[in-house]
Every structure is written in C-alpha cells, then in structure tokens.
Amino acid sequence: KETKDQLIIDAGQKHFGATMCKSCGMIYTASNPEDEMQHVQHHHRFLEGIKYTGWKKERIVAQFWDGKILLVLPHDPSYAIRKVEDVQELVDNELGFHQVVPRCPNKTKTLLFISDEKRVVGCLIAEPIKQAFRVLSEPTGPSSKECHRAWQCSDVPEPAVCGISRIWVFRLKRRKRIARRLVDTLRNCFMFGCFLKTDEIAFSDPTPDGKLFATKYCNT
Ligand code: ACO
C-alpha cells in the first residue's frame, strides 16, 4: 500500500525528529524547513496572544501561589474582551473549532488563568444551559476505532445549569491542576450565592483530553 508520509533522512543534523519548543509548546520537526517556518510563525503569534500586560481593572476571582484567575464578562472594557478573543482564537485553532457562535453571548463567562510569568495559561468559557445529554461509557460499533470523538450520548435530556464550551490549558502547563482550579472557580462564581454541583455543569463536545479530565473531575 502506498503511503504519502514524508520520509526524513538522518544526515547527522543537530536536531532530528520531533522537537517540542520549550517556550511555545509546539511540536515540530526541526530538520524540516517547512515545519520550522511554521513554528517560527506560530511561536510569535502564540506568545503574543497569551501575553498578559496587566489591566487597569481586573476582576480577580481566585488567587494561588502560581497565579490568579480573572473573570471576564461581556460588557467589560475592550482591552479585556480583545484578549479573550485572541486567546479563544488560539484555543479554537488548537481544538479545530471553527466559528462556534455562543448561544447567549450576553451571558458568557470567561475565566483566564494568569501565571506568574504574566501569561494566559488557562481559559474556560461557560454559558447558561437548561439541559445536557450524558456521554455513554464508550463509543461502540465498528467505527469506534476511527472516530475518537464520536462519543455516544444518551437521548434523555438531564437538567443542567452551566455549559463549558471551551476549557484549555497551555501545553507546557498541563497536569498542574489548572483546569481543575478553573472549574472549581467557575462553580463558585457562575451563579451568585451558590456552589454548583458537578452534575449541574456539562462539557460540550469534549475532546479525548477533555473527556479524561471531565471524567476524573466529575467522578463519572
Ligand atoms: N490524560 C489523563 N488524565 C487527565 C488528562 C489527560 N490528558 N488531563 C487531565 N486528566 C485528569 C487527571 O486525573 C488529572 O489529575 P492528575 O494530574 O493528578 O492525575 C485531573 O484530570 C486534573 O487535571 P488538571 O491538571 O486539572 O488538567 P489540565 O490543567 O492538564 O487541563 C485539559 C486539562 C484542559 C483537558 C488540557 O489537557 C488541555 O487543554 N487539552 C487540550 C485542549 C482540550 O482538549 N480541551 C478540552 C476540550 S473539550 C471542551 O472544551 C468542552
């Protein structure tokens, strides 16, 4: 069978095979000029996108030894909205989402995790919902191997309050409980005066990473 995979010759180059950039987290082949070019472009745009210069007004909703969480609301100053849009674009690019329009843009709540290095290293976007459909344990059927994201959902709606449309953590900061802290904070600040239960929040169209995290977080 013919494959179109690119072959690489090990001619003793300094960098061979896949490399992960230590500052932007992109995985690329350093010996491949096209890849290297893509990395240079991504590197600059990405680091610029996650840079946090400090705002005149910021709504701090949680503080930790390694950073803080800010809440951004739809009518906040344009500098805050612009940062959220820039970060969302990077996240959507990584997730392969295109032009997902929020159902109620006026009620969207965005949480940004700002690291001590003044970077947006985590982002969570949530909106009110009325119902959700439970993901059934494992995808079944002959196509389950190819369609890693075609989870089977129950067709019985269950009441829910808050839908997480995006959750993302910077590749180099994963497995440090940043996503967990974002969801904990969301549960606390989504509805005034109450702490949402895990079955009142729902993750929309989870990726494999998102599903592993959500399963662990919600104990389901
Ligand atoms: N594999 C296995 N278990 C995982 C994974 C994983 N990739 N990620 C999280 N978990 C589980 C672990 O049990 C972890 O605890 P442990 O590290 O003590 O074992 C627990 O969840 C808590 O994890 P966090 O450290 O809080 O998660 P993290 O900050 O790494 O962020 C996230 C998780 C957001 C899914 C991150 O991997 C990411 O950004 N991935 C790429 C973007 C993405 O796919 N986002 C989800 C899209 S779906 C949606 O937006 C609705």
Side-chain angles (χ1 to χ4, degrees):
K1 195 177 137 195
E2 209 180 296
T3 66
K4 288 200 176 124
D5 288 347
Q6 168 80 51
L7 296 175
I8 308 164
I9 299 165
D10 182 358
Q13 302 96 319
K14 242 201 230 141
H15 306 287
F16 183 74
T19 321
M20 190 199 283
C21 172
K22 287 194 182 71
S23 45
C24 79
M26 181 173 165
I27 301 161
Y28 66 102
T29 312
S31 55
N32 178 331
E34 212 175 295
D35 243 31
E36 219 165 330
M37 187 63 158
Q38 267 190 4
H39 167 237
V40 171
Q41 281 169 356
H42 173 267
H43 187 93
H44 180 73
R45 207 166 62 94
F46 184 83
L47 291 181
E48 202 50 44
I50 64 168
K51 190 159 90 186
Y52 177 75
T53 46
W55 297 337
K56 220 193 294 173
K57 273 204 234 160
E58 48 173 35
R59 200 180 288 104
I60 302 176
V61 285
Q63 242 166 337
F64 305 96
W65 61 274
D66 56 345
K68 61 187 170 189
I69 297 180
L70 306 184
L71 169 65
V72 182
L73 298 174
H75 299 295
D76 278 354
S78 55
Y79 52 78
I81 302 295
R82 213 172 313 125
K83 181 73 347 182
V84 165
E85 284 170 357
D86 287 355
V87 172
Q88 188 179 338
E89 197 186 319
L90 298 174
V91 172
D92 283 0
N93 243 330
E94 190 176 325
L95 292 177
F97 284 4
H98 300 288
Q99 293 224 320
V100 187
V101 184
R103 268 163 295 223
C104 19
N106 280 329
K107 293 186 178 153
T108 302
K109 292 196 160 108
T110 305
L111 294 177
L112 299 179
F113 192 108
I114 312 290
S115 72
D116 282 346
E117 305 96 42
K118 294 199 181 340
R119 284 187 172 154
V120 180
V121 296
C123 171
L124 184 160
I125 304 178
E127 56 187 2
I129 54 167
K130 295 214 164 63
Q131 59 181 36
F133 299 86
R134 200 166 286 276
V135 173
L136 300 174
S137 50
E138 272 308 312
T140 49
S143 62
S144 64
K145 279 223 173 69
E146 300 101 63
C147 303
H148 293 294
R149 282 184 68 174
W151 320 120
Q152 261 192 15
C153 284
S154 151
D155 45 21
V156 185
E158 295 181 40
V161 176
C162 169
I164 296 178
S165 72
R166 312 274 196 298
I167 182 156
W168 168 90
V169 171
F170 176 31
R171 195 184 294 277
L172 301 176
K173 296 282 184 186
R174 290 187 190 158
R175 304 304 285 268
K176 296 180 191 298
R177 313 212 140 200
I178 291 179
R180 183 177 279 279
R181 289 181 272 169
L182 281 166
V183 182
D184 284 344
T185 306
L186 174 76
R187 288 166 68 192
N188 201 22
C189 69
F190 192 75
M191 245 164 85
F192 184 74
C194 60
F195 187 69
L196 295 182
K197 290 185 283 186
T198 51
D199 62 7
E200 290 173 314
I201 55 174
F203 294 80
S204 76
D205 190 19
T207 56
D209 270 353
K211 189 164 172 272
L212 285 166
F213 166 73
T215 307
K216 184 76 184 180
Y217 184 89
C218 301
N219 275 323
T220 51

